[in-house]
């Protein structure tokens, strides 16, 4: 086992705080308005005309934030102190999920140096029992290692009572200050935060960072963007992808790729991402590791939606995360068959040897283990179809 880094720690923490995300696409007709709380809200999700709660233009493609069409919230962080901690790896973003695994918002957590030292103390090639012991120590002392900083969340109304109860409970259990931003339709939006970090096990060098975070809470609040979600299943657009069909396009490495690439395996996982998408980049390390240990009979490729515009950046991201799988640049046929029907990135679909989509798409990021389970699940679906076909004969 390799010594854990700040990046791999994010994967380990998934058991405690589930990580997944989606960056949305544009729609039409936005008319921002000011509510009784004095905050600006957006009438619809339209990426190029959104405003934050202070009324300033919101840049949904910015690298320094997050935007989710599914959750109905976003943030474009401009404060240098906060950005420096994110870049350093001390401030981590996780996303708020309901019981149905639907995304409703985001949280930022501060990870102390003590937490990283704890995980980095695991010797190379340590047995699983030793790794589990460290994980248990972390879980038992999480308040000393982790500081829940801020949370922005949509509490759904209507029929989503189970998710509403789950998210509300999560918010109240983790945050001592909760401000209502406003209401859109039957959904309520909140900004929650903590100021007291006295229980944290801090180095002297960290105390100033924590104080800066607390001082910038209200500044960060102004960077939030709120908008209504579409009243439909978040996967409905993805479900309209039935088959990839024929295509001939280029890969990032310059090679020609056609639909024949699917014939090499029973199932091919296709990860659709963008260079501007933070959640896409966050799962790249897992994707690189997944590709090296795919279940028998499966393959993997990716499609970079802005790869033609940002080829160098796309290559840099893939190289940094040891992603050796082939990455396609969408042509007109792939745009029509796939890209125009994807409502968010990252989105992952699975196709059989003929390019037929198998099972539902996955909207948002997943860990290596979860993707492996999804691949095995779809391999079983193909086997079941083949068995049924044989019986019919």
């Amino acid at each position: 086992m390799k010594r854990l880094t700040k990046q791999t720690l994010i994967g380990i923490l998934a058991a405690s705080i589930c990580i997944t995300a989606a960056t949305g696409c544009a729609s039409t007709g936005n008319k921002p308005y000011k509510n009784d709380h004095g905050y600006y809200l957006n009438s619809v999700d339209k990426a190029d005309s959104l405003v934050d709660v202070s009324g300033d233009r919101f840049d949904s493609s910015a690298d320094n934030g997050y935007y989710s069409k599914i959750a109905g919230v976003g943030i474009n962080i401009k404060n240098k102190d906060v950005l420096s901690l994110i870049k350093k790896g001390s401030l981590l973003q996780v996303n708020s999920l309901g019981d149905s695994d639907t995304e409703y918002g985001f949280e930022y957590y501060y990870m102390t140096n003590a937490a990283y030292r704890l995980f980095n103390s695991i010797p190379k090639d340590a047995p699983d029992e030793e790794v589990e012991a460290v994980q248990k120590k972390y879980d038992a002392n999480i308040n000393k290692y982790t500081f829940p900083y801020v949370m922005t969340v949509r509490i759904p109304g209507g029929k989503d009572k189970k998710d509403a109860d789950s998210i509300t409970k999560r918010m109240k259990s983790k945050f001592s200050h909760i401000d209502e931003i406003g209401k859109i339709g039957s959904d309520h939006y909140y900004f929650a935060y903590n100021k007291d970090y006295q229980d944290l096990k801090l180095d002297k060098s960290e105390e100033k960072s924590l104080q800066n975070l607390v001082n910038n809470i209200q500044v960060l609040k102004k960077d939030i963007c709120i908008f209504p979600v579409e009243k439909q299943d978040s996967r409905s657009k993805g479900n309209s992808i039935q088959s990839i069909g024929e295509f001939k396009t280029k890969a990032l490495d310059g090679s020609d790729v056609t639909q024949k690439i699917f014939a090499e395996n029973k199932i091919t996982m296709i990860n659709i991402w963008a260079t501007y998408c933070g959640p896409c980049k966050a799962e790249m390390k897992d994707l690189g590791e997944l590709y090296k240990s795919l279940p028998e009979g499966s393959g993997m490729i990716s499609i970079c939606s802005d790869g033609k515009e940002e080829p160098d950046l796309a290559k840099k991201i893939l190289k940094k995360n040891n992603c050796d799988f082939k990455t396609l640049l969408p042509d007109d046929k792939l745009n029509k068959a796939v890209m125009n029907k994807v409502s968010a990135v990252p989105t992952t679909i699975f196709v059989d040897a003929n390019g037929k989509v198998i099972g539902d798409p996955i909207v948002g990021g997943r860990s290596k283990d979860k993707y492996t389970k999804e691949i095995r699940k779809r391999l079983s679906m193909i086997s079941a179809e083949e068995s049924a076909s044989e019986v019919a004969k």
Side-chain angles (χ1 to χ4, degrees):
M1 176 185 151
K2 295 182 178 179
R3 185 176 295 275
L4 297 175
T5 64
K6 293 183 180 181
Q7 194 68 24
T8 56
L9 176 60
I10 296 175
I12 292 175
L13 293 177
S16 304
I17 42 179
C18 189
I19 297 177
T20 179
T23 300
C25 307
S27 65
T28 58
N30 185 40
K31 294 181 179 179
Y33 59 95
K34 196 172 185 179
N35 67 3
D36 294 338
H37 293 282
Y39 301 122
Y40 282 92
L41 309 182
N42 297 279
S43 58
V44 299
D45 165 31
K46 182 171 172 28
D48 59 358
S49 65
L50 293 173
V51 300
D52 60 26
V53 297
S54 67
D56 293 334
R57 183 183 179 279
F58 181 80
D59 184 2
S60 62
S61 65
D63 249 351
N64 54 341
Y66 161 81
Y67 166 67
S68 171
K69 184 182 180 74
I70 300 170
V73 298
I75 187 168
N76 184 6
I77 301 171
K78 297 183 279 293
N79 183 271
K80 292 182 179 179
D81 290 329
V82 177
L83 289 173
S84 66
L85 290 175
I86 292 175
K87 185 176 181 180
K88 181 181 176 183
S90 298
L91 197 61
L92 306 178
Q93 178 193 313
V94 297
N95 296 328
S96 305
L97 305 178
D99 287 345
S100 65
D101 277 350
T102 298
E103 186 185 344
Y104 287 102
F106 61 88
E107 304 164 45
Y108 281 97
Y109 282 74
Y110 181 85
M111 295 298 299
T112 64
N113 290 341
Y116 285 119
R117 283 197 297 269
L118 175 66
F119 283 97
N120 286 330
S121 68
I122 302 173
K124 184 178 180 180
D125 300 323
D128 291 343
E129 294 79 7
E130 189 169 344
V131 177
E132 290 174 4
V134 171
Q135 179 69 51
K136 287 180 180 179
K137 182 178 179 180
Y138 168 83
D139 291 338
N141 298 278
I142 193 168
N143 290 335
K144 293 183 179 180
Y145 293 126
T146 306
F147 176 60
Y149 177 40
V150 297
M151 175 186 196
T152 297
V153 67
R154 173 178 64 89
I155 304 296
K159 298 179 181 180
D160 300 319
K161 188 178 187 307
K162 188 175 181 181
D163 277 346
D165 291 344
S166 173
I167 294 297
T168 301
K169 182 179 179 180
R170 180 188 182 106
M171 177 174 65
K172 290 183 176 180
S173 67
K174 292 180 176 292
F175 297 92
S176 57
H177 301 271
I178 300 174
D179 297 346
E180 183 172 4
I181 300 297
K183 182 182 179 183
I184 301 179
S186 61
D187 297 343
H188 290 264
Y189 295 76
Y190 296 91
F191 178 76
Y193 55 94
N194 288 318
K195 290 185 175 181
D196 184 5
Y197 54 87
Q198 300 306 312
D199 292 337
L200 284 179
K201 187 177 181 180
L202 295 175
D203 297 341
K204 286 186 178 181
S205 61
E206 294 181 278
E207 292 177 1
K208 183 178 180 181
S209 295
L210 264 296
Q211 190 58 55
N212 282 338
L213 281 181
V214 170
N215 291 342
N216 285 312
I217 285 175
Q218 295 304 319
V219 175
L220 206 65
K221 184 178 179 179
K222 295 179 181 179
D223 296 335
I224 293 168
C225 177
I226 304 297
F227 49 89
V229 297
E230 295 181 6
K231 296 301 179 180
Q232 60 180 16
D233 185 270
S234 64
R235 301 171 303 180
S236 60
K237 287 190 177 182
N239 282 338
S240 65
I241 305 174
Q242 302 297 322
S243 180
I244 302 300
E246 294 185 359
F247 66 89
K248 182 178 181 180
T249 192
K250 290 284 186 180
L252 265 176
D253 61 12
S255 61
D256 292 321
V257 183
T258 71
Q259 72 282 355
K260 293 180 180 179
I261 193 172
F262 303 137
E264 298 173 6
N265 297 283
K266 285 188 175 182
I267 194 84
T268 299
M269 173 176 152
I270 307 174
N271 180 260
I272 302 163
W273 63 288
T275 62
Y276 59 79
C277 169
C280 299
K281 290 179 280 188
E283 71 168 353
M284 278 296 169
K285 184 175 179 64
D286 274 325
L287 294 180
E289 293 177 356
L290 172 66
Y291 182 65
K292 294 174 176 62
S293 59
L294 286 169
E296 185 177 354
S298 63
M300 178 181 167
I301 62 173
S302 78
I303 302 176
C304 183
S305 64
D306 62 339
K308 287 185 177 180
E309 294 77 20
E310 298 285 354
D312 293 338
L313 179 56
K315 290 176 183 177
K316 182 178 178 181
I317 292 169
L318 293 168
K319 183 178 180 180
K320 177 181 177 181
N321 292 283
N322 297 314
C323 296
D324 299 326
F325 47 81
K326 196 170 287 292
T327 294
L328 278 55
L329 306 176
D331 64 356
D332 290 341
K333 289 186 176 180
L334 278 179
N335 279 327
K336 184 176 181 180
V338 180
M339 308 305 292
N340 293 344
K341 299 177 182 179
V342 171
S343 61
V345 290
T347 287
T348 300
I349 60 176
F350 303 83
V351 299
D352 65 12
N354 298 312
K356 175 187 173 184
V357 174
I358 304 296
D360 291 335
I362 295 174
V363 180
R366 296 293 187 273
S367 66
K368 171 189 171 184
D369 290 342
K370 288 189 176 182
Y371 274 130
T372 300
K373 290 179 181 178
E374 292 292 344
I375 291 172
R376 294 189 188 282
K377 176 182 175 181
R378 285 159 177 78
L379 284 170
S380 297
M381 293 170 69
I382 291 176
S383 296
E385 287 184 2
E386 291 174 345
S387 297
S389 178
E390 286 298 320
V391 171
K393 291 179 180 179

